[in-house]
Amino acid sequence: FNLSNGFTSFDFRDTLGLIMKDIYANIKQTLQSGNESSLEVKDSFIRSTESSNNSIFIEQVMRITTRSLQEKAKTQLVTTENTSTFLFEIKPYITNPTFQSKIYDKEQRIGYFLNFALQKQIDEPIPQITRWDIDDKREPIVVRIHSDTPEAVLKSLKEGILYWNRVLGRNILIIGKPFNSNEKQLDRTIHVFWIPWDSAGYARAGFQADPITGEIFRGQVFMTSSWYKTTQDEFKLLLSSNNLNSQPKSVQCALDQSQLLSPEILNITDNTLIEKISLDTIRTVLAHEMGHVLGLRHNFAGSSTTGASDIDFSKQKNNYLQGTEQDFAASATTVMDYTLGVETAMDGAFILNHILPYDKAATDWGYLNQNIAIQKYQYCSDEHIMLARENQKKIYGCERFDKYKNIILGNIDTIIGDENHKAMRVFGNILNSVNRGLSHYSVPQKFEVLLNSIT
């Protein structure tokens, strides 16, 4: 650390806390050797410092150098630089006497992010799960939503947060007052940011945990507006005749090929139902990201292990899209799966009044130290897919965005859906490009040219 330049070395860890042979061996070697991976700081300066709440806050601007092999450069080592701003907090380390570390589930029935810790007289790194301290004597975890969040989505966001109170069986999480961007985050808080980014297509979560015990003490969720806006656009922009007629002729011609669009979407004209689908989707997505903040990993086996039969779920999906009021089934056993558009919305409607079984089992084991009846092969995450691909294999029932309990039916439906939705995605990309004023699509072109230009 340099008083003028700030941190001259910045520890960098890219592991997801996985139990895989090669990754675990690398973690063990790094921890035992004392070596660290670090970002290369070419230049930096301190913009501001502040002392408050027994902490020192340092805002530092860094010019970071990275090197990578790029095939486009004929497999040459390419050096790139970028400027980033970091906020460091330095505070005393105080052991939490009430927190007990917990070793990961060796049977891999459930999945948590892991913290690999070294202890004296023990050669092997200890794979601890990351989790919050929810001891009765501790205060609740306060979840604060950014003050710029639109009023229209606040209720659904809060419902996605408080879903986990019902899963855990008591009020571990409470909704606090909104926060502003210039506020510093305190321990035992989770900040939910609303990012106005309509084309993002994803959300993200993160947390800070004790490197010795695995206790999580802060969390962040970054919700992008795309989960609300894109869902609205799929139903409104592509179906509105006014929008079609207002576009250039080349685009209007392409968009007018309504027979190629998804029948599920074409059948929906009720704005109230469109709004409900959007808000149900947001509820699921935030519950998913909150699961990450609680320490839970993805579980892509959720759809293949659901209790709902494919026939019943298919009927209920039609009822949902028609706006029929009824108690819908869930498409997966957990919000930690990746599901498709309509399925994601239906899961959001489901968790409003119900608890998903995998979520319950995972928190019963991880947080409440209870024995669980869940069997093996009910959990399958990123590392399993990675390992399968390395060996040129495929794990049926453990795929991102797969659907249905019947694996064969799910794959057939996905293939058909991909073909039916291909045109819609192309037209949607064209329309979004025109709306953003991209000249590449704003001039008349042959349909074949437009089609081939979309990747």
Side-chain angles (χ1 to χ4, degrees):
F1 183 81
N2 181 290
L3 288 175
S4 298
N5 303 109
F7 285 95
T8 56
S9 178
F10 186 63
D11 184 32
F12 176 73
R13 302 179 187 180
D14 57 0
T15 176
L16 291 174
L18 307 179
I19 291 289
M20 289 178 66
K21 184 177 180 180
D22 293 340
I23 294 178
Y24 182 77
N26 291 337
I27 292 172
K28 178 181 176 180
Q29 181 181 6
T30 299
L31 288 174
Q32 292 179 339
S33 66
N35 294 329
E36 296 176 343
S37 299
S38 63
L39 294 177
E40 184 176 343
V41 181
K42 182 177 181 180
D43 194 14
S44 68
F45 68 91
I46 294 177
R47 177 176 287 164
S48 65
T49 60
E50 180 183 339
S51 177
S52 63
N53 295 323
N54 204 30
S55 294
I56 300 174
F57 295 93
I58 301 172
E59 185 182 13
Q60 179 176 340
V61 181
M62 296 187 190
R63 188 72 175 168
I64 298 172
T65 302
T66 58
R67 293 179 175 83
S68 61
L69 291 173
Q70 295 187 7
E71 293 183 3
K72 291 183 180 180
K74 297 182 180 180
T75 320
Q76 293 180 351
L77 188 63
V78 177
T79 300
T80 57
E81 296 180 2
N82 71 286
T83 300
S84 299
T85 301
F86 294 82
L87 181 66
F88 296 99
E89 179 182 359
I90 305 173
K91 65 177 184 176
Y93 177 78
I94 302 174
T95 302
N96 178 3
T98 67
F99 185 80
Q100 297 294 322
S101 298
K102 187 177 181 71
I103 305 300
Y104 85 112
D105 180 30
K106 296 179 181 179
E107 297 182 60
Q108 292 204 44
R109 299 164 298 168
I110 55 177
Y112 278 79
F113 290 106
L114 301 180
N115 176 66
F116 293 95
L118 278 181
Q119 294 185 4
K120 293 180 179 179
Q121 313 303 323
I122 300 177
D123 292 332
E124 293 292 325
I126 301 172
Q128 308 160 337
I129 67 169
T130 51
R131 58 176 180 162
W132 296 77
D133 181 4
I134 62 169
D135 187 271
D136 292 336
K137 297 179 182 178
R138 297 298 303 273
E139 66 275 11
I141 302 163
V142 180
V143 185
R144 302 178 65 191
I145 302 173
H146 197 278
S147 56
D148 289 342
T149 304
E151 184 70 28
V153 301
L154 276 176
K155 185 172 183 292
S156 288
L157 292 176
K158 292 177 181 179
E159 290 165 346
I161 293 166
L162 299 179
Y163 163 72
W164 289 102
N165 279 346
R166 290 187 285 114
V167 173
L168 287 161
R170 57 192 177 96
N171 293 332
I172 303 300
L173 306 167
I174 61 172
I175 306 295
K177 65 179 182 180
F179 72 96
N180 299 315
S181 298
N182 59 353
E183 289 189 56
K184 295 180 175 60
Q185 189 172 359
L186 302 177
D187 286 351
R188 291 192 70 78
T189 64
I190 298 171
H191 281 189
V192 178
F193 295 82
W194 181 265
I195 311 297
W197 187 2
D198 292 346
S199 61
Y202 64 89
R204 188 173 180 178
F207 58 76
Q208 290 75 52
D210 188 313
I212 297 176
T213 66
E215 178 192 357
I216 302 175
F217 52 88
R218 290 182 193 171
Q220 303 83 30
V221 175
F222 301 90
M223 282 289 294
T224 58
S225 58
S226 63
W227 292 103
Y228 184 66
K229 181 67 173 175
T230 301
T231 306
Q232 299 265 327
D233 288 351
E234 284 181 354
F235 294 99
K236 291 181 178 178
L237 289 180
L238 292 177
L239 295 177
S240 170
S241 59
N242 292 331
N243 278 324
L244 291 176
N245 293 330
S246 65
Q247 300 303 329
K249 290 300 179 182
S250 60
V251 178
Q252 184 188 106
C253 177
L255 286 169
D256 201 33
Q257 317 254 343
S258 58
Q259 69 274 14
L260 298 178
L261 298 180
S262 168
E264 292 178 343
I265 294 180
L266 284 175
N267 289 335
I268 299 178
T269 57
D270 185 349
N271 286 337
T272 302
L273 179 57
I274 294 171
E275 181 74 5
K276 171 178 166 50
I277 292 171
S278 301
L279 296 176
D280 285 345
T281 300
I282 286 176
R283 189 181 305 112
T284 305
V285 174
L286 188 56
H288 176 103
E289 299 304 332
M290 285 294 298
H292 284 321
V293 172
L294 292 174
L296 293 175
R297 298 281 312 283
H298 288 137
N299 182 9
F300 301 125
S303 54
S304 61
T305 56
T306 184
S309 71
D310 301 323
I311 294 176
D312 288 342
F313 185 78
S314 181
K315 291 179 180 178
Q316 292 186 16
K317 182 162 70 171
N318 290 331
N319 290 336
Y320 177 80
L321 291 172
Q322 292 171 11
T324 305
E325 290 295 332
Q326 70 174 65
D327 198 8
F328 299 108
S331 70
T333 58
T334 174
V335 294
M336 303 314 295
D337 199 351
Y338 276 179
T339 52
L340 294 164
V342 177
E343 282 78 4
T344 302
M346 288 183 67
D347 290 346
F350 183 85
I351 65 172
L352 197 54
N353 299 305
H354 302 281
I355 296 170
L356 292 170
Y358 173 85
D359 299 339
K360 175 66 174 170
T363 52
D364 279 353
W365 179 87
Y367 277 90
L368 305 179
N369 295 315
Q370 296 179 2
N371 293 325
I372 55 174
I374 193 170
Q375 302 299 313
K376 287 185 179 181
Y377 313 116
Q378 306 291 299
Y379 165 70
C380 186
S381 196
D382 301 272
E383 66 267 31
H384 302 103
I385 295 178
M386 291 164 55
L387 190 60
R389 286 179 178 173
E390 287 177 7
N391 291 277
Q392 298 182 335
K393 305 285 185 183
K394 189 173 185 178
I395 307 174
Y396 287 100
C398 176
E399 298 175 74
R400 300 176 179 95
F401 302 108
D402 61 354
K403 55 183 177 179
Y404 296 134
K405 190 172 184 178
N406 186 313
I407 299 170
I408 297 175
L409 177 63
N411 277 274
I412 292 173
D413 199 47
T414 298
I415 292 171
I416 295 174
D418 285 346
E419 289 301 313
N420 290 340
H421 287 76
K422 186 181 294 182
M424 186 190 73
R425 287 197 302 269
V426 171
F427 302 148
N429 286 339
I430 294 172
L431 179 59
N432 288 333
S433 299
V434 171
N435 288 338
R436 295 198 307 269
L438 299 183
S439 59
H440 181 60
Y441 298 108
S442 61
V443 296
Q445 299 181 59
K446 291 183 178 180
F447 173 69
E448 291 81 2
V449 176
L450 289 169
L451 186 66
N452 293 330
S453 68
I454 303 295
T455 57

